[in-house]
Amino acid sequence: MTENDVILDDTEDDILHLFQNWSQNFTICTTKCNNTSTFLNDDVQNQEPSLIIHEHDMLNLVFLSILLSFIILTTIAGNIFVLVAIIRERNLQTLSNYLVFSLAIADLMVACLVMPIGAQYEVMNQEWLLGSVMCEIWTSGDVLCCTASILHLVAIAVDRYCAVTNINYMQYRSPRRVGFMIGTVWSVSFLVSFAPIFGWKDEEFLERVQKEKKCLVSQDIGYQIFATCATFYVPLIIILILYWRIYQVVRKRIRHRPGNAIRPAALLPLVCAENITDMASLNGSTKMGSATKQRQKNRGNLESKREKKAAKTLAIITGVFVVCWLPFFVMALLMSLCPTLVPDAKLFSLFLWLGYANSTLNPLIYTVFSPDFRKAFSKLFCGQNQPVTVRSSRLRCMSTADTVF
């Protein structure tokens, strides 16, 4: 073998060795590339669920914002309509409607001062970012407006009870008496709401606001018992007793027979009952003629309808109040009595805004049963302007006697 053959063999061996190394490197590279591709695909797959969750949260946030905005705007509009109707319509400017006017102011304050900050708090996932001072101001304003709204319902119930049970009540009811009732409502509301600002709050208040980012009214046990009783439990008992007594009196007067001493004029709504002349005319117009069987049957049917209307009206008034506020105040009292009890955040928000919704429903509940308010709203919306005569006003009062209020 020559020297050239040896060199050629060595060169072939080197080329074969290089080819084998290149093949191994290519195989390793391909494996790494495949692994990298698999890793990237896995990473993308792992990221897709989080992206979907983010979009889901965004949709919930948008829906929540729209819902809370709708509640706020509806509350503002409803109470403004009540205020404008009472200011514009002379026949609505009665002593009983002074209480409705003050109630509308309280509910409007709930919508303008309390609900917007509460909505921002909910949208931020119940994370308070406005500081401890603002938290105290907001919670005090919340208690003030909501307490005033609830106590106005008690004042209206007391006024209606006196009007139904005492036929002479209209004669000695004066603007001073009604003003005293309104002043008492706001005074008690200020007392309950500003007590925490003057020091009646739990020791964990600042830590809860600054570290936990939670803004709650004072959780002091003594204050919570005082506030919940003065704001809800005592008013609830008073409202239930008064409206039950009103229903009993109304039912008795609906079933009266000729010759009884009970006068049906007390069934008139408070808006119309201020006219004593109309009362006297109604007393004379309710006497029966001949007592035939057919007329007795018709009268029995009419009595049954009137009783059902009275029960329905009172059930709506009390039922809406209880449904809106009872869950929140039960939870508020349990949270103070049992500090270890931590309610679900969504459930707490639901109960709180259910209570706020009472201010949305009050303008509807306390005006829908009055033809005068319905006519005033028709003028506001449709521009209807019909003259009100004495006879039409009297007939309107007679028709509303069936609805108790």
Side-chain angles (χ1 to χ4, degrees), residues 85 186 216 237 245 311:
W186 285 104
L216 299 174
I237 294 173
R245 289 288 299 129

Side-chain angles (χ1 to χ4, degrees), residues 9-10 15 19 39 59 95 107 166 168-169 177 202 228 231 263 281 291 294 299 302 333 337 362 382 384 404:
D9 292 338
D10 293 338
I15 292 173
F19 178 77
F39 173 77
L59 291 176
L95 292 177
D107 290 333
N166 186 0
N168 298 319
Y169 175 71
R177 289 178 179 270
D202 57 301
T228 54
T231 302
R263 293 192 292 175
S281 64
Q294 183 62 32
R299 189 175 187 278
L302 181 61
L333 190 58
L337 296 177
N362 281 339
C382 306
Q384 299 177 359
V404 184

Side-chain angles (χ1 to χ4, degrees), residues 14-31:
D14 292 339
I15 292 173
L16 181 61
H17 181 69
L18 289 174
F19 178 77
Q20 290 177 350
N21 291 338
W22 180 84
S23 299
Q24 292 177 358
N25 292 335
F26 179 79
T27 304
I28 294 172
C29 181
T30 303
T31 305

Side-chain angles (χ1 to χ4, degrees), residues 363-379:
L364 178 65
I365 295 173
Y366 286 88
T367 59
V368 71
F369 300 109
S370 170
D372 291 323
F373 270 104
R374 291 200 297 267
K375 187 172 183 179
F377 291 152
S378 297
K379 290 181 181 180

